[in-house]
Amino acid sequence: MDKLMKPKAFIFDLDGVITDTAHYHFLAWRDLAHGLGIEFDEVFNEKLKGVGRMESLELILEKGGKAQQFSAAEKEAMATRKNELYKALIVKMTPAEVLPNIKPLLATLRADGIKIGLASASKNAFTVLACLEMQDNFDYVADAAKIPNSKPAPDVFLDVAQAFQLQAKDCIGVEDAAAGVESIHRAGMMAVGIGDPAHLPEADVLFASTQLLDLDTIYAAYAQWLKQP
Ligand code: B16
Ligand code: MG
């Protein structure tokens, strides 16, 4: 493969791409939702993937018809409670929870001189990376607390590109959530999706799982993507 056709950076989402924290988010939100008498299941949880904490809470309250019942301070307290539940779960994570094929893929990218960034909506991303012992695998990690607009806005992916002093077209984003794929596209980057085509119809190239991620397939798609008007 011609070196010119390779991107200069890969920018990864964390939850659902590097590791599967979605289940921990699910357990914590379910606990909170049930406490409020709101039904909560894995199907609804899908809508929260890649979506920020307060936005997720609003979606849950809306689902339960309780969007107008609480003050801003009460909502803050609910989000904090969910986060405490979530943090108690993630601190037990170990390097064994890195998703399949991710470590060798990152090693190949680094050996090829391609920058590696992390663009997570999670304010807990640094904790998760530390538990996975993966801080050194990334050249730059966006700080969600400092990103003005969360996914599907492009801000977090643009923040990483800016840190690398790269143009958007030189970066490829990797996401498991529809909101994340939209964020990548709004940033002007090619989007690699991980998951079910029904959830990620807009991804430029899609793999059912990280196990199936393949760089040659991605580079071939990237060469085509660059030719788009
Ligand atoms: P926190 P990602 C996202 O992370 C999660 O997918 C989403 O479910 C969560 O609500 C969001 O982070 C905020 O997380 O409450 O820890 O700040 O997929 O963008 O890596
Ligand atoms: Mg995700």
Side-chain angles (χ1 to χ4, degrees):
M1 183 74 53
D2 185 342
K3 200 159 179 46
L4 288 176
M5 286 182 184
K6 289 185 182 179
K8 296 188 175 123
F10 270 74
I11 307 177
F12 293 87
D13 172 49
L14 176 66
D15 295 339
V17 172
I18 302 297
T19 188
D20 188 14
T21 43
H23 187 63
Y24 299 130
H25 281 294
F26 166 71
L27 292 175
W29 280 127
R30 187 181 61 179
D31 198 281
L32 186 98
H34 284 177
L36 294 166
I38 300 172
E39 270 306 304
F40 192 80
D41 57 21
E42 294 270 11
V43 175
F44 186 75
N45 191 53
E46 199 59 41
K47 292 194 199 324
L48 307 184
K49 284 188 180 172
V51 177
R53 197 181 306 161
M54 291 312 288
E55 293 91 339
S56 298
L57 176 63
E58 292 293 350
L59 289 173
I60 292 167
L61 293 176
E62 230 170 73
K63 178 180 188 290
K66 295 178 191 278
Q68 312 303 327
Q69 283 184 22
F70 301 99
S71 67
E74 285 169 327
K75 288 179 186 174
E76 266 312 321
M78 286 176 203
T80 301
R81 187 173 133 62
K82 179 267 172 179
N83 196 43
E84 293 305 321
L85 293 165
Y86 178 66
K87 283 199 294 190
L89 295 168
I90 58 170
V91 291
K92 294 183 200 144
M93 292 182 82
T94 72
E97 289 178 73
V98 179
L99 285 169
N101 198 20
I102 289 295
K103 281 278 184 87
L105 186 102
L106 296 187
T108 303
L109 293 178
R110 186 153 278 174
D112 281 354
I114 295 172
K115 294 260 186 234
I116 303 169
L118 193 81
S120 174
S122 175
K123 296 188 173 78
N124 294 295
F126 292 98
T127 306
V128 172
L129 279 190
C131 292
L132 299 175
E133 295 175 12
M134 284 192 75
Q135 303 103 309
D136 295 342
N137 291 92
F138 294 90
D139 299 302
Y140 178 79
V141 177
D143 181 352
K146 295 188 180 142
I147 302 296
N149 302 296
S150 52
K151 301 169 189 177
D155 303 29
V156 68
F157 284 94
L158 290 174
D159 177 72
V160 182
Q162 196 178 15
F164 290 155
Q165 297 186 301
L166 291 175
Q167 292 183 19
K169 68 171 179 46
D170 294 324
C171 306
I172 289 180
V174 188
E175 261 288 351
D176 71 313
V181 168
E182 185 179 338
S183 175
I184 294 169
H185 281 156
R186 284 168 65 181
M189 299 173 191
M190 187 182 101
V192 174
I194 308 288
D196 186 335
H199 292 142
L200 300 172
E202 303 297 332
D204 297 297
V205 53
L206 186 80
F207 301 92
S209 69
T210 59
Q211 182 77 64
L212 299 172
L213 268 173
D214 173 61
L215 284 176
D216 285 339
T217 306
I218 294 172
Y219 294 150
Y222 182 62
Q224 289 307 311
W225 183 84
L226 283 176
K227 287 183 197 157
Q228 284 174 7

